[in-house]
Each structure stands twice: as structure tokens, then as C-alpha cells.
Amino acid sequence: MVVSDAAHPIGMFDSGVGGLTVARAVIDLLPHEDLIYFGDTARCPYGPRAADEVRKFALEIMDALVEEEVKLLVVACNSASSAALDEARARYAVPIVDVIAPGVKAAVAATRNRRVGLIGTHRTVESGAYEKAMATTRANVSIHARACPRFVEFVERGDTSSDELLDLAREYLQPLRESDIDTLILGCTHYPLLSGVIQYVMGSGVVLISSAEAIAAEIFAELKDRNLLSRNRAMGAHRFVSSSEQGITSELGNRFLGPEFKDIEHRPWDKR
Ligand code: DGL
């Protein structure tokens, strides 16, 4: 068993570029932390896959990150969180932060009429993970869920504002517009990049919940409570790894993460 050390990096993963929204928030809040980001671009999207397959991918990636001696794991993917979280918590000694609980907490704090919408991939919506997490809050808030499977492909190709996307958003979100929600959880880490179009379609009266900031705050608290915050005063080192050769283009990386996005390393899982 590897013992966590404050000098070790944070390990984070997603199926592709979506988790960069979480990485951005983490770098803003914890600039001195080293970070390894893994995007499983060769096997993206996770959303349409069976739970067992997503669980297998997620555990494979977390095994590799634990081998790199990360001090904390961040499952920056709702689909992977909903499929693999329980098993991961039993399997690893390092603390694990997921995306679902922080999003639910933020939605409970934001809603006034106790009617919260949830959009995510098929995997996440079908899993019922948000409803389960909401039940544990005892806040008496109802969740109105809708899968928006094609949003991910738009984000992965860098399209966050086309007419085609707007038409699709109108189609996906219409049932939620009719359901009197006042808060909408972006239950996929790709979706914050579509906040403009989603807010436009839902109207300004609906509060959008992107869990990235809430997750970063939770990571801060976990590290602080375990005395694992980096003691380094220089800017942390950030590594970006992907499973496909084309990886994450620097155009997308720079756009979605910012100037900290560096060269991407390629790590093919099938050739390990
Ligand atoms: N960004 C991911 C999520 O939060 C996965 C998207 C996908 O690969 O389908 O669910």
C-alpha cells in the first residue's frame, strides 16, 4: 500500500476533455498542487456504454494513477462516478473525490422550489446515482432527469455554439422547460462548456450548477483535513495524458483549460 504524501500529485480522469473543467477549478483553488490528468480519448464516450464496461475502464485508469503514487483521486466524470465509485472506495487507500455528491449539495443550496433538473449521459441518468445521492441529503428535493447523449460529441470537437447545437439543446431541454425546475445540474463534466447555449434555452430564471468549483472546494477540504496540502510555494507541475494518439489537441486544451495546458503524453491501454 502506498502511503499518501503531501508532495505527491493529485490524479484526475475523465473520458476526454470534459474533466478539464474540473482541472481548471482545481488549478485556480490549489495552484501549488501537482496534477496528473488522464483523458481516455480512445474510448470516449463512456455515456452510451454498459455500466460494467465503464467500471472496468475507470478501475484500470485509477490503478494506473495509484501506481503513479497520487495522493488523491478525482473521478472527474459522472458516468465513471456512477458506475465505479463504490468499488473504487473499497479498492484504494487514497481518498477519492467524485463529481456527484458536490453537485447535489450545490443544487440543494440553490433551489427555492425544490424542483431540480439533471442532464447527463445515458449511463449517468440510467444509474439513478443522483437520485440516490439526493435521498441521502433528506432535503425533500425532486430530480427531473434527462439524458443528452449527443452533447459530448459537440464538446469533443470544440463546437459550443453552432445552430445545430442550439437546435439539439432545444429538443433535449424542452421537457425540462415544461417541468418548472428552478435549478439544473450539469451532470456531465463536458456540459459546463455548453453553459452558454443551455442557459439561453432554459432562460435566466434557472440556476445552472456546474460541480467543478464545488469539487475543487471538496478536494481542498480533503487535503487540508488529512494534512496533505502541498508545501511547495511554486506553481505546481501539470501532466496531461491521453489514451489515443491524437489525444487532446492543444487548441481544445488551451481553450477548455487555459495556458497551463501542456504537451499531451500518449498512453495506449491496449499496449501496456
Ligand atoms: N464527461 C463525462 C461525464 O461526466 C463523460 C462523457 C462521456 O464520455 O460520455 O459523464
Side-chain angles (χ1 to χ4, degrees):
M1 188 182 81
V2 179
V3 178
S4 291
D5 184 308
H8 290 182
I10 294 170
M12 177 183 297
F13 77 97
D14 176 49
S15 63
V17 297
L20 292 177
T21 56
V22 180
R24 174 73 265 155
V26 170
I27 293 172
D28 287 343
L29 230 60
L30 295 158
H32 308 301
E33 298 295 335
D34 292 348
L35 178 73
I36 306 177
Y37 180 90
F38 185 85
D40 196 1
T41 47
R43 302 183 294 196
C44 183
Y46 282 2
R49 296 178 187 272
D52 280 350
E53 191 176 29
V54 174
R55 184 177 310 116
K56 179 178 157 278
F57 293 169
L59 293 174
E60 225 170 67
I61 294 166
M62 285 188 273
D63 282 354
L65 289 171
V66 167
E67 263 173 47
E68 300 269 356
E69 303 195 344
V70 298
K71 62 182 172 185
L72 178 135
L73 282 166
V74 184
V75 186
C77 174
N78 290 262
S79 310
S81 292
S82 63
L85 207 57
D86 292 345
E87 205 167 325
R89 292 226 156 95
R91 187 174 173 118
Y92 306 112
V94 290
I96 302 176
V97 173
D98 74 293
V99 279
I100 295 173
V104 164
K105 238 196 268 173
V108 168
T111 185
R112 290 142 288 152
N113 71 358
R114 297 179 185 277
R115 297 175 66 82
V116 168
L118 162 72
I119 51 174
T121 66
H122 271 311
R123 172 84 338 274
T124 300
V125 168
E126 272 165 31
S127 73
Y130 273 90
E131 287 81 353
K132 262 179 252 158
M134 185 59 87
T136 64
T137 68
R138 301 183 190 282
N140 195 24
V141 169
S142 60
I143 291 198
H144 305 262
R146 178 100 170 119
C148 303
R150 291 196 54 219
F151 276 173
V152 169
E153 76 193 48
F154 280 82
V155 174
E156 287 285 327
R157 64 169 186 256
D159 178 351
T160 56
S161 60
S162 68
D163 287 345
E164 194 192 349
L165 174 65
L166 183 60
D167 287 346
L168 185 68
R170 286 199 169 111
E171 183 192 320
Y172 279 155
L173 301 174
Q174 188 52 33
L176 292 174
R177 281 168 50 83
E178 289 163 8
S179 65
D180 193 31
I181 56 163
D182 69 359
T183 303
L184 178 60
I185 301 174
L186 306 180
C188 172
T189 51
H190 283 69
Y191 297 177
L193 301 161
L194 305 179
S195 293
V197 78
I198 294 169
Q199 190 80 72
Y200 184 75
V201 172
M202 293 306 296
S204 56
V206 172
V207 178
L208 300 189
I209 303 289
S210 153
S211 33
E213 284 78 22
I215 297 160
E218 183 133 338
I219 294 168
F220 186 104
E222 280 283 343
L223 293 178
K224 178 75 190 145
D225 290 350
R226 291 164 197 260
N227 205 19
L228 284 174
L229 280 173
S230 169
R231 308 196 221 305
N232 181 10
R233 289 301 92 199
M235 185 73 185
H238 308 127
R239 276 175 63 199
F240 299 91
V241 187
S242 81
S243 53
S244 66
E245 213 139 349
Q246 65 276 28
I248 298 169
T249 62
S250 39
E251 195 206 325
L252 277 189
N254 283 315
R255 200 170 136 202
F256 295 158
L257 182 93
E260 292 86 352
F261 188 80
K262 301 274 160 39
D263 294 341
I264 186 111
E265 297 165 39
H266 174 220
R267 176 173 187 152
W269 291 106
D270 48 349
K271 294 191 198 113
R272 285 204 313 155

